[in-house]
Amino acid sequence: MNSKQHPPTRLPEFPNSLWRSTHTFPTFPTLEEDATADVAIIGAGIAGITTAYLLAQSGLSVIVLEAGKVLDGTTGHTTAKVTAQHGVVYNELLQHFGHEQARMYYDGNTEAIRWMRALVQEKQIDCQWAEEDAYVYIQSEDNLKKMEFELTAYDKLGISGDWVSSLPVSVQSRAGIRMPGQARFDPLAYLHYLLDEAVQNGVRFYEKTTATDVEEDASLHVRTYSGSSVTAQHIVVASHFPVYDPGFYFTRLHAERSYAIAVEPGKPYPGGMYISDDEPRRSLRAVMHEGKELIVFGGENHKTGQGICTFGHYENLERFAEDTFGIVSIPFRWSAQDLVSIDKVPYIGPITGRHERVYVATGFAKWGMTTGTMAGHILADRITGRDNPHAAIFDPARFKADPGLKNIVVENANVAKELISGKVGLTHATADQLGTDEGSVVRHQGKRAGAYKDHSGKLFLVDTTCTHLGCEVEWNEGERTWDCPCHGSRFDYTGKVIEGPATQDLPALETPQ
Ligand code: FES
């Protein structure tokens, strides 16, 4: 039915993030009793951990709740570029937000890089920090004007960058813009340091503790799935998709998946970090692993649940790697899920105008290394009563009619289409047609169901109606997960939630004897 039609060539059979595979972290207990702190943070990715680290340094008591394991979400599956060059964005920012706020976006990200670099140097964090030039490039003549406008925006905003008509790497390109003085690193080595320091400074981390709701009286309370709660004066929702959503973020964010492979190349890498702005999306950077230089090739972005057969995305990257640098081996492949806001600028600040002490940090698109760090600073400053000069453009309460309104309609129309399309048309496939290690939507007792048969032939059947708002999940054969096309919830093949906004598992269905 699926994966057998795409035999992996040199790709690993199972996804394995380079970063997650090469680090181990302490384990933390599950929260089983009610607890109290000055600040409760939901989510232990780069935004949550940076916020906790900074608040603990200010002397506040902090509790961090993580639904899974620390650093196992998007932060553990990034390409880890530390840059203020977020594709081609500055002309659009200038048009929609004006000079002052477009410059604020650049300054906030650049300040995040400066802070990270200074910390790495001062604390001698062994995280492969390397200064690199970043390049955004186009492959098609049709996009030349867009690139010229972008460079003009750099000039107007005083951003350092220059035009290149060819790239240092042997990748087909028409033109590009180089931004000097950016960096790459091993994100989990860096965050391991922040995590350890936060723990040393008294931050209490809890894993496998799913926050389900926030309630407000004289204090604030985070409720968890198991019934325990945290009472706090401030709450930071840094759970990727906000698990607590009084601001209808599900109408203002969409989820995108992208893919990465780490390749031992046949040719040496000339340095630099690259990303294409046109299709097919491609991203390149180098990384050292066990004394050898690997290249991380990324790209193939698509909305969650709407890709071609997912293994095909890895194969496309494999072909690109073969054509550009040659392949000796491919030790790692992994995918990531990113959330993108309507105007492509993250939401960092009070979760709504009515919730002054509940904050959100989300919508980092592919650039969470700088924007997640910046979120930590903006939120820690806000909680401790300090002004932050970069906060205004990221305030979730901002309202920009163009292009936001148009995109709200498009996003919601898209979600409505997914809600409907999942419900109509029932497949004729049945679970007994599955081979081992295959999954598919099937017909079970006259209804739509999700089926996966593992290597030993054991069958797992789940209800495919997403427990968030009722869209129908689709099978992701590359990761062996059920993915929701509406807001990006993901479930393992047994139905267990691995990524929200859903907080409840897909119900398991009884398997035929
Ligand atoms: Fe919202 Fe599935 S994630 S309906």
Side-chain angles (χ1 to χ4, degrees):
M1 275 185 190
N2 37 49
S3 61
K4 300 305 176 205
Q5 295 163 10
H6 302 279
T9 48
R10 280 162 289 184
L11 290 160
E13 185 180 2
F14 288 97
N16 56 339
S17 149
L18 164 63
W19 319 116
R20 285 297 307 181
S21 306
T22 51
H23 292 279
T24 49
F25 292 97
T27 55
F28 298 97
T30 299
L31 181 68
E32 275 162 1
E33 293 176 349
D34 294 349
T36 305
D38 294 324
V39 185
I41 297 174
I42 304 169
I46 188 167
I49 290 177
T50 307
T51 310
Y53 170 86
L54 293 169
L55 289 173
Q57 285 194 325
S58 298
L60 297 186
S61 64
V62 180
I63 286 178
V64 181
L65 304 178
E66 167 56 51
K69 307 278 296 165
V70 296
L71 292 168
D72 198 23
T74 299
T75 304
H77 296 81
T78 169
T79 56
K81 294 172 175 171
V82 189
T83 178
Q85 189 186 59
H86 297 172
V88 175
V89 294
Y90 285 103
N91 185 46
E92 208 174 318
L93 289 172
L94 195 55
Q95 302 306 318
H96 298 309
F97 289 89
H99 188 283
E100 188 187 341
Q101 294 210 348
R103 176 73 206 198
M104 193 182 288
Y105 184 99
Y106 174 73
D107 285 343
N109 282 283
T110 301
E111 172 57 21
I113 301 170
R114 189 206 63 72
W115 183 83
M116 294 166 84
R117 178 190 294 119
L119 187 71
V120 167
Q121 287 171 352
E122 187 193 332
K123 305 297 180 189
Q124 303 200 327
I125 305 171
D126 185 8
C127 63
Q128 292 197 37
W129 184 277
E131 301 283 312
E132 292 271 28
D133 292 344
Y135 296 82
V136 60
Y137 67 94
I138 48 165
Q139 299 153 96
S140 160
E141 184 78 25
D142 298 347
N143 296 313
L144 205 53
K145 268 271 160 285
K146 184 179 176 192
M147 210 59 152
E148 287 169 0
F149 285 138
E150 182 73 353
L151 189 65
T152 304
Y154 275 44
D155 289 342
K156 285 185 182 158
L157 293 167
I159 296 173
S160 142
D162 46 36
W163 186 265
V164 292
S165 44
S166 65
L167 301 176
V169 280
S170 55
V171 168
Q172 184 259 320
S173 64
R174 173 62 185 82
I177 296 175
R178 181 182 75 100
M179 184 182 279
Q182 312 301 292
R184 61 178 165 86
F185 71 156
D186 174 338
L188 296 194
Y190 163 83
L191 285 161
H192 203 154
Y193 171 82
L194 263 62
L195 180 70
D196 287 348
E197 284 293 302
V199 171
Q200 291 251 324
N201 286 329
V203 176
R204 287 165 281 165
F205 284 86
Y206 295 96
E207 294 180 319
K208 296 189 182 152
T209 303
T210 305
T212 52
D213 201 7
V214 170
E215 286 167 16
E216 192 164 359
D217 45 38
S219 296
L220 297 162
H221 311 276
V222 184
R223 307 288 179 206
T224 74
Y225 194 62
S226 63
S228 57
S229 67
V230 179
T231 298
Q233 296 308 308
H234 303 266
I235 292 174
V236 172
V237 183
S239 55
H240 207 213
F241 205 108
V243 290
Y244 170 61
D245 188 6
F248 300 103
Y249 282 81
F250 70 86
T251 65
R252 300 199 262 158
L253 288 165
H254 76 263
E256 281 189 14
R257 295 202 68 72
S258 59
Y259 301 81
I261 58 175
V263 171
E264 184 185 346
K267 286 192 261 183
Y269 187 75
M273 306 187 294
Y274 305 87
I275 191 157
S276 64
D277 187 64
D278 46 8
E279 301 297 334
R281 297 282 164 154
R282 294 291 179 256
S283 152
L284 297 88
R285 61 155 283 186
V287 61
M288 291 304 291
H289 173 66
E290 295 180 345
K292 286 184 185 153
E293 188 171 61
L294 308 183
I295 304 173
V296 176
F297 293 90
E300 296 283 308
N301 314 19
H302 65 83
K303 284 196 169 179
T304 299
Q306 299 181 4
I308 58 170
C309 87
T310 47
F311 207 84
H313 293 294
Y314 290 110
E315 291 176 320
N316 290 343
L317 290 179
E318 182 184 15
R319 264 191 294 280
F320 178 68
E322 184 63 80
D323 292 346
T324 50
F325 282 87
I327 297 173
V328 175
S329 66
I330 308 177
F332 302 98
R333 73 169 172 97
W334 68 95
S335 66
Q337 179 148 302
D338 295 295
L339 295 174
V340 185
S341 74
I342 286 168
D343 55 18
K344 300 185 199 134
V345 174
Y347 301 123
I348 305 167
I351 199 160
T352 75
R354 290 173 290 108
H355 298 77
E356 280 284 295
R357 291 179 297 130
V358 183
Y359 315 93
V360 70
T362 189
F364 300 155
K366 308 206 62 55
W367 308 106
M369 297 300 100
T370 52
T371 51
T373 301
M374 194 170 48
H377 285 268
I378 289 173
L379 298 181
D381 283 348
R382 175 139 193 147
I383 289 167
T384 53
R386 290 187 296 254
D387 279 341
N388 184 296
H390 312 121
I393 186 176
F394 302 102
D395 188 336
R398 67 182 177 265
F399 180 76
K400 296 288 158 190
D402 182 14
L405 271 184
K406 191 175 93 206
N407 284 352
I408 283 176
V409 174
V410 172
E411 289 302 326
N412 282 335
N414 189 43
V415 167
K417 185 172 131 258
E418 295 306 326
L419 274 162
I420 295 160
S421 70
K423 303 289 183 196
V424 297
L426 185 55
T427 176
H428 290 288
T430 54
D432 55 13
Q433 294 170 296
L434 290 172
T436 57
D437 192 28
E438 283 190 349
S440 178
V441 171
V442 297
R443 179 190 290 262
H444 174 65
Q445 296 178 343
K447 295 201 182 114
R448 190 181 199 270
Y452 170 73
K453 201 176 270 181
D454 73 8
H455 279 100
S456 70
K458 181 164 184 224
L459 181 65
F460 296 85
L461 277 174
V462 295
D463 184 330
T464 52
T465 302
C466 178
T467 55
H468 177 226
L469 291 176
C471 290
E472 293 295 312
V473 296
E474 296 291 343
W475 179 242
N476 173 342
E477 67 171 31
E479 323 295 318
R480 295 162 177 84
T481 55
W482 294 104
D483 297 353
C484 182
C486 288
H487 314 107
S489 290
R490 299 180 62 229
F491 307 84
D492 73 10
Y493 60 76
T494 68
K496 193 169 165 18
V497 176
I498 49 178
E499 183 137 11
T503 56
Q504 303 212 8
D505 300 341
L506 297 175
L509 302 177
E510 210 167 299
T511 51
Q513 296 304 307

